[in-house]
Amino acid sequence: MRRIYSLLSLLSAILLLTSCNNGETYSDLKDAERDAINHYISTNSIKVISQSQFTSQGETTDLAKNEFVYLDKSGVYMQIVRKGGGSIIKDGESLEVLCRFSEYNIKQDALLCRNDAPFYGVNNNQLTDYSSMPDKMTVQRTGSTFTASFVSGTLAMVHSSTSVPSGWLVPLQYVNIGRWSDGDVAKVRLIVPHSQGTADASASVYPCYYEITYERDN
């Protein structure tokens, strides 16, 4: 019975992705997402560079040219604002990382949440300033693979999930994770497609723009 229920749940999820109230297919939604990303890139005068050029530049992006590298494997666009002090997370290492960020829905042209500036919302019937709540995630590196889960924070609360968007982990192989005492902490800007985003983004097929800092907590 449990197996039948699981199969039915999976079928329902597939049907949800392949259609919506206005008759759009999943393919239509992905096309709309791609159009939204291209429009955002054009409107904000972003220069997209290849991964090979990014590598030849020492894995840096030129801020003066507003460069973002397109990472083929994930489909994420990334601009490294600061590499940060400290060091890259090593193979086999596990640590807690604090993140301050803003999340912007590109398709709907709307700010969803942030904790890098005053941003108020209701939590347990109390008005809460989410800027005082950095997101804390536990990160583990195994080879070139990063896994993580939220311990606490704004994104986890707003999206009701402890799952860290895969797009948030993409920069970790390119930036250093340190403390403020090591110098400026790492900062990136990302354009994240739904497949690398939150559960909400994945379900509704929308891309997000993020600005994120990464700081070592332990």
Side-chain angles (χ1 to χ4, degrees), residues 124-209:
N124 293 327
N125 297 319
Q126 292 184 333
L127 190 63
T128 301
D129 177 5
Y130 286 108
S131 64
S132 64
M133 299 173 60
D135 282 36
K136 180 187 290 189
M137 61 183 182
T138 300
V139 181
Q140 171 74 43
R141 179 174 184 174
T142 304
S144 61
T145 301
F146 293 85
T147 56
S149 60
F150 284 119
V151 178
S152 60
T154 306
L155 197 79
M157 184 178 298
V158 170
H159 292 285
S160 302
S161 173
T162 59
S163 177
V164 177
S166 299
W168 277 40
L169 305 180
V170 169
L172 295 181
Q173 60 183 308
Y174 305 109
V175 300
N176 300 317
I177 308 300
R179 304 177 180 86
W180 283 106
S181 58
D182 299 317
D184 286 341
V185 297
K187 181 178 180 178
V188 300
R189 297 179 178 129
L190 304 173
I191 298 172
V192 178
H194 76 282
S195 58
Q196 299 289 312
T198 63
D200 289 339
S202 182
S204 298
V205 193
Y206 63 79
C208 281
Y209 170 81

Side-chain angles (χ1 to χ4, degrees), residues 41-135:
I41 288 171
S42 175
T43 300
N44 290 279
S45 302
I46 292 171
K47 180 182 179 182
V48 179
I49 63 172
S50 66
Q51 200 159 347
S52 59
Q53 181 178 341
F54 174 66
T55 301
S56 70
Q57 294 178 179
E59 297 184 341
T60 61
T61 49
D62 190 332
L63 298 182
K65 297 178 180 178
N66 200 21
E67 287 181 348
F68 278 64
V69 56
Y70 176 72
L71 300 166
D72 302 297
K73 185 176 180 180
S74 63
V76 169
Y77 296 81
M78 175 182 69
Q79 181 180 80
I80 298 178
V81 181
R82 298 191 299 262
K83 284 268 191 178
S87 60
I88 288 178
I89 299 174
K90 300 176 179 63
D91 183 15
E93 187 177 9
S94 177
L95 71 159
E96 290 187 338
V97 178
L98 299 177
C99 296
R100 292 189 180 277
F101 73 95
S102 59
E103 181 186 49
Y104 175 84
N105 182 327
I106 292 174
K107 193 173 180 180
Q108 294 183 348
D109 191 20
L111 177 66
L112 299 182
C113 62
R114 70 189 311 169
N115 64 13
D116 61 348
F119 184 81
Y120 293 91
V122 177
N123 178 30
N124 293 327
N125 297 319
Q126 292 184 333
L127 190 63
T128 301
D129 177 5
Y130 286 108
S131 64
S132 64
M133 299 173 60
D135 282 36

